[in-house]
């Protein structure tokens, strides 16, 4: 379908992440036809855009309107996502003798996680292409977000999640109007079930990186970090990586801001650190050379449900981010995540998701081994609120 109206979006094309082959941004795509790999949105970044214009805009991710892929404003499906606060963890910083420890709290997004950003964008683009319904295999948070944005857009929603996913995620999907299917397994098994349920291709599959626009929503975390740091950047960003859209998106945002000149050429890019659960650490194993890639990796469930992604299609892109940023990857045990939730909760008053707790425990380890110095500015990403995970924490007192 051709889209012809006037737009403020500077979207120009899509390119294959494996071979850089060109695809039109004005047609609906899933994976690239050439390599069956994720497609990446490109923008005209030489156009005159001024960061000063942001001052008068609303505090949502849509403030970066020109750098987002939705063509017509009428297609934006929003529940007020983005522009989450960056909090100063002064108590923990004092306890561990750290100069600057900050946390961007993505738990404050609609539906309680950063998944709101990606799904708001993907469903807006689905609306733009006239899609009538969407389906998603999910570890939990993305399913809830998709259910919410499909409801707002008047689209059918089917969510497929592991049957061990805490009830709060399952229930919320139901109350948001989605059809919920439970599968005995992890997200890759849910993907097989989703394919089966959608064998007639009636629904758009919005699996991580299998359509190009969730990444565009996630990248707004990177724009916000730059803006909230007053167009400087922290020394290190510690991020919980499952499918990887957050890690890849934040890095993409920094490249775009450099190209625009909103980030000065002299601004040093941060080390990007990917944190996984010891129960499911495909990226860590590849990064450390224990396997060639994650294509055959077998993972176990973890209480950080969002990190149970055994065979992420975005693995090559995540590895590229770690390499380009001089970053690293490490994993955290279940026991340490529980300790991290309690430590952040009791010292800072923030009830983080286990994924966010993993990030904090990773920072502690990295300071201990000297990868991070206590003088560096460290930014933790808490990707979700802890509330829906209570069931995972029963008997862990
Ligand atoms: C709270 C939370 N953190 C992190 C992740 C992993 O995110 P990504 O797939 O973008 O790497 C998820 C995914 O479900 C999640 O729900
Ligand atoms: Zn290709």
């Amino acid at each position: 379908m051709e889209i012809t109206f006037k737009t403020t979006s500077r979207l120009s094309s899509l390119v294959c992440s494996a071979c850089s082959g060109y695809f039109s941004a004005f047609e609906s795509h899933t994976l690239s036809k050439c390599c069956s790999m994720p497609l990446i949105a490109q923008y005209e970044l030489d156009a005159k855009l001024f960061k000063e214009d942001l001052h008068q805009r609303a505090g949502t991710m849509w403030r970066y309107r020109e750098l987002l892929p939705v063509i017509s404003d009428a297609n934006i499906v929003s529940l007020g996502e983005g522009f989450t606060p960056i909090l100063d963890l002064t108590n923990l910083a004092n306890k561990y003798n750290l100069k600057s420890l900050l946390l961007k709290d993505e738990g404050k997004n609609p539906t309680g996680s950063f998944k709101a950003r990606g799904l708001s964008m993907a469903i807006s683009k689905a609306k733009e292409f006239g899609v009538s319904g969407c389906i998603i295999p999910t570890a939990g948070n993305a399913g809830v977000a998709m259910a919410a944005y499909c409801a707002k857009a008047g689209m059918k929603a089917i969510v497929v999640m592991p049957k061990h996913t805490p009830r709060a995620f399952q229930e919320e999907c139901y109350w948001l109007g989605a059809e919920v299917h439970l599968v005995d397994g992890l997200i890759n098994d849910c993907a097989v079930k989703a394919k089966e349920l959608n064998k007639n291709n009636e629904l758009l599959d919005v699996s991580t990186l299998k359509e190009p626009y969730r990444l565009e929503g996630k990248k707004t975390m990177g724009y916000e970090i730059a803006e909230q740091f007053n167009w400087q950047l922290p020394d290190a960003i510690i991020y919980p990586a499952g499918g990887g859209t957050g890690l890849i998106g934040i890095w993409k945002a920094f490249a775009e801001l450099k190209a625009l000149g909103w980030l000065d050429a002299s601004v040093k890019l941060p080390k990007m650190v990917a944190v996984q659960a010891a129960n499911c650490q495909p990226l860590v194993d590849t990064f450390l050379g224990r396997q060639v890639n994650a294509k055959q990796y077998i993972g176990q469930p973890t209480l950080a449900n969002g990190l149970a992604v055994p065979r992420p299609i975005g693995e090559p892109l995540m590895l590229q981010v770690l390499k380009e940023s001089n970053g690293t990857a490490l994993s955290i045990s279940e026991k340490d995540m529980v300790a991290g939730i309690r430590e952040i909760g009791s010292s800072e008053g923030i009830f983080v998701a286990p994924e966010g707790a993993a990030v904090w425990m990773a920072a502690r380890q990295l300071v201990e081994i000297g990868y991070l110095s206590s003088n560096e500015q460290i930014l933790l990403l808490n990707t979700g609120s802890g509330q829906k995970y209570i069931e995972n924490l029963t008997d862990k007192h």
Side-chain angles (χ1 to χ4, degrees):
M1 174 181 149
E2 277 287 317
I3 298 171
T4 48
F5 24 78
K6 244 180 128 186
T7 179
T8 50
S9 171
R10 299 290 201 270
L11 180 68
S12 59
S13 62
L14 297 169
V15 294
C16 169
S17 58
C19 75
S20 301
Y22 166 92
F23 290 82
S24 166
F26 301 98
E27 291 162 15
S28 176
H29 296 284
T30 50
L31 291 175
S32 70
K33 290 206 177 66
C34 41
C35 308
S36 284
M37 286 301 279
L39 286 170
I40 311 291
Q42 308 286 306
Y43 297 79
E44 268 175 46
L45 297 173
D46 49 0
K48 288 260 172 292
L49 292 174
F50 303 99
K51 58 180 189 262
E52 292 72 22
D53 290 346
L54 296 175
H55 296 318
Q56 66 238 30
R57 298 193 182 175
T60 74
M61 70 174 189
W62 296 95
R63 64 202 274 107
Y64 310 106
R65 181 68 187 91
E66 294 86 350
L67 306 169
L68 302 177
V70 178
I71 305 297
S72 166
D73 286 351
N75 293 323
I76 292 176
V77 185
S78 173
L79 295 167
E81 50 291 323
F83 227 67
T84 52
I86 293 183
L87 307 168
D88 214 336
L89 305 188
T90 45
N91 295 330
L92 286 175
N94 287 339
K95 181 172 167 191
Y96 290 91
N97 200 22
L98 301 172
K99 192 170 157 206
S100 176
L101 181 67
L102 302 155
L103 178 142
K104 187 162 173 67
D105 193 6
E106 288 290 302
K108 301 232 163 52
N109 274 303
T111 71
S113 87
F114 75 135
K115 297 284 178 183
R117 297 175 186 268
L119 272 307
S120 170
M121 198 63 71
I123 301 307
S124 298
K125 284 303 288 184
K127 186 174 170 191
E128 195 145 85
F129 286 116
V131 167
S132 62
C134 295
I135 186 165
I136 192 167
T138 173
N141 277 313
V144 180
M146 192 198 82
Y149 290 98
C150 280
K152 181 76 175 163
M155 284 180 202
K156 179 177 174 163
I158 299 186
V159 176
V160 189
M161 62 173 81
K163 75 167 193 246
H164 62 264
T165 311
R167 274 288 295 280
F169 293 98
Q170 304 177 25
E171 287 284 325
E172 194 171 343
C173 286
Y174 169 80
W175 293 107
L176 291 169
E179 185 181 309
V180 181
H181 293 257
L182 301 176
V183 167
D184 195 3
L186 296 180
I187 192 168
N188 51 321
D189 305 297
C190 296
V192 174
K193 177 71 178 175
K195 223 172 182 172
E196 201 181 293
L197 289 168
N198 192 32
K199 56 180 178 294
N200 298 331
N201 266 326
E202 280 162 3
L203 304 167
L204 176 69
D205 183 338
V206 293
S207 297
T208 300
L209 292 169
K210 288 193 180 158
E211 60 74 54
Y213 300 113
R214 278 175 68 183
L215 181 63
E216 294 306 292
K218 296 280 192 76
K219 83 175 178 189
T220 59
M221 286 186 288
Y223 290 161
E224 288 175 22
I225 291 167
E227 187 180 354
Q228 290 169 311
F229 275 78
N230 199 19
W231 310 106
Q232 297 294 315
L233 292 174
D235 295 302
I237 295 181
I238 327 274
Y239 195 88
T245 40
L247 191 76
I248 301 161
I250 291 173
W251 197 243
K252 180 176 194 278
F254 295 158
E256 289 175 352
L257 293 178
K258 283 258 174 179
L260 270 173
W262 289 14
L263 275 176
D264 196 78
S266 64
V267 172
K268 196 167 165 270
L269 296 179
K271 291 180 266 198
M272 301 291 291
V273 176
V275 182
Q276 300 206 295
N279 279 5
C280 189
Q281 51 169 60
L283 183 70
V284 174
D285 280 4
T286 308
F287 182 77
L288 296 178
R290 294 178 185 146
Q291 61 187 11
V292 177
N293 59 48
K295 285 185 180 163
Q296 303 299 324
Y297 187 87
I298 296 177
Q300 300 304 319
T302 155
L303 60 94
N305 297 75
L307 301 186
V309 184
R311 298 170 188 182
I313 189 168
E315 184 184 43
L317 295 169
M318 287 194 269
L319 290 168
Q320 200 180 329
V321 174
L322 299 184
K323 194 170 157 211
E324 286 175 11
S325 73
N326 247 326
T328 191
L330 71 166
S331 67
I332 298 298
S333 70
E334 302 288 288
K335 195 165 153 265
D336 277 359
M337 284 184 223
V338 175
I341 295 174
R342 174 89 169 148
E343 188 173 36
I344 300 177
S346 60
S347 9
E348 296 288 351
I350 309 165
F351 186 25
V352 298
E355 291 84 347
V359 156
W360 162 234
M361 297 309 271
R364 274 180 52 180
Q365 280 189 23
L366 292 171
V367 170
E368 235 169 76
I369 63 168
Y371 175 89
L372 294 175
S373 101
S374 52
N375 280 325
E376 283 181 304
Q377 198 165 35
I378 302 167
L379 177 65
L380 314 176
L381 262 290
N382 172 41
T383 41
S385 152
Q387 277 144 14
K388 288 177 221 180
Y389 297 78
I390 301 268
E391 202 176 305
N392 287 353
L393 303 174
T394 332
D395 305 327
K396 301 272 190 327
H397 286 201

